[in-house]
Amino acid sequence: MMGTIVKDSFSERLAAMNSHWEGYLLEGKFEQSIEFIVAVNSLVDSFNRLRMSGLVRLCEGLESEAFAKLSTESAHPISNDDQESIQKKIDTLNSTVESMFLSQEACRHQEGWHSKAYIDAKDDQWIKPRNVLVVADNHGFDVANELKTQLSFFGFKIEIIAWEDQPAIDSAPLAVIFMSVNSDATEQQLALIAQLHQQFFSSQMLYLGEPLKPESIVKLMRAGVDATIPIKNHSTMVLSRILDLVQTAPQEKSHVLVVEDSRVALASIERTLAQYDIDTFSINSPDKLFDALEIYTPDLILMDMHMPKFNGVEATRVLRQTEAYATIPIVYLSAETEVSMQVEALRLGGDQFLMKPFNPVLLAAVVEAKISRFREMQRSTQIDGLTGLLNHASSKTKLAAMLRDLSVGQEMAIIMLDIDHFKSINDSYGHPVGDLVIRTLAYLLKGRLRSIDLIGRYGGEEYIIGLPGVGASQAAVIIDKIRQDFARFTHHYAGGVIHATFSAGTAAYPDLGSVFEIIEAADNALLQAKRLGRNRVEQHQPRSQEVV
């Protein structure tokens, strides 16, 4: 067992799975087996969010066997042999998570944070390893060394080996990158991929090569590869993917409004969704819908079809005429078996139709999938397409919310920064190179700052950063270290290499009281940094500290 890892997003789900299994072993009831399967499926979702592909596969193997042996009500209690088979998979999962956690603890004292407050804040997160293994053929060593230079700049430790060599590392790396530049993977290479996948089960497996045919990609996936990347796009795609692995932020809790007049059905829904850490708020009549929406902001509505006063379809049609709720996902729950009725319900505004009695795993899967797509749709209007950072409007909205959520006495710094002489970069090297510089700085900020920090592209070559719990002078130290590193970074492009710098200004709450005032002060500090020669950081000085 993995002990007390209370801050890890998956620890409670793992404990719930073990608890449900132990309960089933004691009593052998069908209902307990269903709760166990739901808990396993919930773990699959949790590890998927953390991009821990090896653990996802372990959970999926356990889930498949559990379905095969536990899903028939008449089979309970299952035989001792079947119990032992499932227990072995559970033990493997628990021991794998335990060993991974212990190896992450060793990473908690690594370099990369430049103030005690930042170290403390980062230690609240689950730390992943930062070593990357690269396996390359003779034609790929130049690309491998270029990747090593780039990834090392972001704090990763890189080991490069040939396909015929054995890695010198014992603990699982964050990722293994395979390169076969001029051809598809050979049978020997596929065998090595499978071997390293077994050895480093929790590592992300990436394959870089020429554009591959579907059958070649399938062979790589069967060997253990998680993603294939065209060699020509390696600089941006690999860096983005690797940084995403260590920048996984805690998943925002999902909220579901349940409109259901049956207490039995409602209890089953709430119990199922609670195991997936999904919050619920329930009402027993559709005429209470708008009152509920005033006090509860759901990501999805679960709507019973047949209720007093008016039915679920009529309630949905009313909602769809209200702009604020025109796109919220609505999933119907009903014992209605008439296909024409189901089709009509979907045509009039619903997104999915689930039959009662529902399968709890299917219910949770549908709810999470619909919420995920809904949030992705919302996110697409808030994200800058080039960098993946928040856009101008979303950055300001998010900063205002962060300021409102601060604890009493807590500080928050805002940083404005701008790439120096960016027009000259575009004019001299072309816009694709300018875009490369913009993306690289975005990756650097994501790699060096915390997942709780806000990073936005404010416009053009300008960025905005929000650091909760950090004062203006501390923010200046943090961003100045990033500035120094960015100035040393070599940007590779088809015609050679270039270097770039940025200037920055900082300001903070409570020195200033509103987001508008802090942004304006930070922007004025940025202008001062540019007036003083660029490639520097200036800090806003409150009037009480100004030199007379």
Side-chain angles (χ1 to χ4, degrees):
M1 298 293 292
M2 66 184 291
T4 56
I5 316 173
V6 294
K7 292 184 179 179
D8 295 346
S9 64
F10 53 81
S11 61
E12 290 184 2
R13 299 189 184 195
L14 188 64
M17 180 202 73
N18 285 307
S19 176
H20 289 310
W21 178 244
E22 290 166 4
Y24 176 77
L25 292 179
L26 286 173
E27 300 182 33
K29 293 181 179 179
F30 174 64
E31 293 78 8
Q32 293 166 317
S33 72
I34 292 298
E35 289 181 337
F36 168 70
I37 293 173
V38 169
V40 176
N41 184 263
S42 173
L43 267 177
V44 173
D45 174 72
S46 183
F47 290 136
N48 254 323
R49 288 174 177 173
L50 291 166
R51 298 181 179 90
M52 301 168 76
S53 55
L55 291 175
V56 169
R57 292 191 192 97
L58 278 178
C59 284
E60 287 176 341
L62 173 59
E63 183 182 32
S64 296
E65 180 156 1
F67 261 120
K69 295 176 177 175
L70 298 173
S71 59
T72 303
E73 188 167 2
S74 60
H76 298 275
I78 59 174
S79 69
N80 289 336
D81 288 344
D82 285 344
Q83 289 182 16
E84 288 177 7
S85 180
I86 294 174
Q87 185 68 59
K88 285 180 181 178
K89 283 186 166 57
I90 294 173
D91 292 342
T92 299
L93 176 61
N94 282 321
S95 62
T96 301
V97 174
E98 174 79 11
S99 63
M100 286 179 63
F101 172 69
L102 292 174
S103 68
Q104 308 324 315
E105 282 296 303
C107 300
R108 288 188 177 271
H109 303 291
Q110 63 184 339
E111 286 188 52
W113 303 96
H114 306 287
S115 71
K116 185 179 185 301
Y118 246 52
I119 292 172
D120 291 343
K122 189 167 178 63
D123 275 348
D124 283 345
Q125 304 171 48
W126 194 71
I127 308 299
K128 294 187 176 183
R130 296 183 75 91
N131 54 316
V132 175
L133 175 64
V134 180
V135 183
D137 58 16
N138 291 333
H139 303 287
F141 277 105
D142 288 343
V143 176
N145 282 308
E146 181 185 332
L147 271 177
K148 180 175 182 178
T149 299
Q150 290 187 328
L151 290 172
S152 298
F153 183 79
F154 290 88
F156 297 96
K157 295 180 180 179
I158 316 300
E159 179 187 351
I160 301 175
I161 64 171
W163 281 93
E164 58 271 17
D165 295 337
Q166 289 294 320
I169 55 177
D170 296 322
S171 59
L174 177 70
V176 182
I177 302 172
F178 301 96
M179 292 185 186
S180 188
V181 175
N182 292 331
S183 63
D184 288 352
T186 65
E187 290 301 320
Q188 290 82 1
Q189 289 173 335
L190 289 170
L192 179 64
I193 293 173
Q195 174 195 325
L196 292 179
H197 169 60
Q198 284 297 114
Q199 183 178 352
F200 304 130
F201 206 77
S202 61
S203 302
Q204 186 87 173
M205 301 280 168
L206 307 177
Y207 183 90
L208 272 65
E210 294 302 318
L212 300 171
K213 296 178 181 178
E215 55 266 30
S216 300
I217 296 176
V218 169
K219 287 182 180 180
L220 289 165
M221 291 169 59
R222 287 173 177 171
V225 167
D226 295 294
T228 58
I229 297 173
I231 199 76
K232 66 178 181 179
N233 295 333
H234 73 274
S235 292
T236 55
M237 291 184 70
V238 171
L239 185 57
S240 178
R241 186 141 190 148
I242 297 296
L243 286 174
D244 281 346
L245 291 175
V246 294
Q247 281 288 306
T248 303
Q251 180 74 15
E252 181 184 351
K253 193 164 189 172
S254 298
H255 298 83
V256 172
L257 175 62
V258 185
V259 188
E260 172 62 71
D261 62 338
S262 166
R263 291 185 179 182
V264 175
L266 178 60
S268 179
I269 292 168
E270 291 177 338
R271 184 172 65 251
T272 295
L273 297 184
Q275 293 199 60
Y276 288 79
D277 199 28
I278 297 174
D279 185 69
T280 55
F281 183 86
S282 61
I283 55 176
N284 59 10
S285 176
D287 65 341
K288 301 176 182 177
L289 196 52
F290 282 98
D291 290 337
L293 289 168
E294 284 291 319
I295 60 174
Y296 188 74
T297 306
D299 302 296
L300 178 142
I301 298 174
L302 272 177
M303 184 88 72
D304 186 24
M305 278 285 287
H306 299 291
M307 292 177 291
K309 298 189 178 179
F310 50 94
N311 64 37
V313 175
E314 291 168 329
T316 298
R317 294 185 69 184
V318 172
L319 276 180
R320 293 303 190 220
Q321 296 178 46
T322 308
E323 184 178 358
Y325 311 117
T327 60
I328 187 170
I330 297 176
V331 175
Y332 295 120
L333 291 172
S334 177
E336 179 63 60
T337 58
E338 180 63 45
V339 174
S340 61
M341 181 65 175
Q342 295 180 19
V343 171
E344 184 71 2
L346 295 174
R347 188 182 69 80
L348 294 174
D351 295 275
Q352 185 94 18
F353 201 106
L354 293 179
M355 296 292 296
K356 291 181 180 179
F358 58 83
N359 181 307
V361 175
L362 179 60
L363 172 66
V366 167
V367 167
E368 291 199 318
K370 294 296 180 184
I371 290 176
S372 176
R373 292 192 185 109
F374 177 59
R375 286 179 171 175
E376 188 60 34
M377 181 183 68
Q378 291 181 311
R379 183 178 178 274
S380 67
T381 66
Q382 302 168 355
I383 297 299
D384 169 61
L386 179 63
T387 62
L389 303 177
L390 291 175
N391 60 26
H392 179 101
S394 298
S395 296
K396 293 172 72 172
T397 300
K398 178 67 173 176
L399 283 170
M402 291 169 67
L403 195 64
R404 288 195 302 269
D405 292 341
L406 289 178
S407 303
V408 176
Q410 189 177 20
E411 298 175 297
M412 186 175 84
I414 289 179
I415 302 170
M416 297 292 294
L417 63 88
D418 188 276
I419 299 173
D420 297 326
H421 304 296
F422 186 73
K423 185 177 183 301
S424 297
I425 294 174
N426 274 339
D427 291 345
S428 301
Y429 304 102
H431 288 277
V433 175
D435 288 349
L436 173 65
V437 174
I438 286 174
R439 279 197 305 264
T440 301
L441 180 52
Y443 296 150
L444 180 60
L445 294 171
K446 287 173 65 178
R448 295 296 178 85
L449 299 176
R450 305 166 299 179
S451 60
I452 63 171
D453 297 329
L454 177 142
I455 312 169
R457 187 181 179 196
Y458 207 61
E461 67 276 18
E462 194 170 17
Y463 300 76
I464 188 168
I465 298 168
L467 307 177
V470 175
S473 58
Q474 185 183 346
V477 172
I478 292 166
I479 200 64
D480 193 56
K481 174 59 179 172
I482 296 175
R483 177 195 62 78
Q484 294 173 40
D485 291 343
F486 182 70
R488 291 195 295 268
F489 185 73
T490 301
H491 304 267
H492 293 262
Y493 72 105
V497 299
I498 64 169
H499 291 84
T501 62
F502 70 75
S503 304
T506 71
Y509 174 87
D511 298 336
L512 298 158
S514 71
V515 165
F516 174 80
E517 291 174 326
I518 304 170
I519 291 175
E520 184 179 38
D523 202 37
N524 288 334
L526 167 61
L527 292 174
Q528 178 68 1
K530 287 183 172 290
R531 283 194 291 265
L532 293 175
R534 294 184 170 84
N535 192 22
R536 61 187 294 140
V537 177
E538 289 296 318
Q539 179 183 337
H540 165 71
Q541 296 294 332
R543 289 187 176 182
S544 61
Q545 298 179 19
E546 290 178 352
V547 178
V548 180

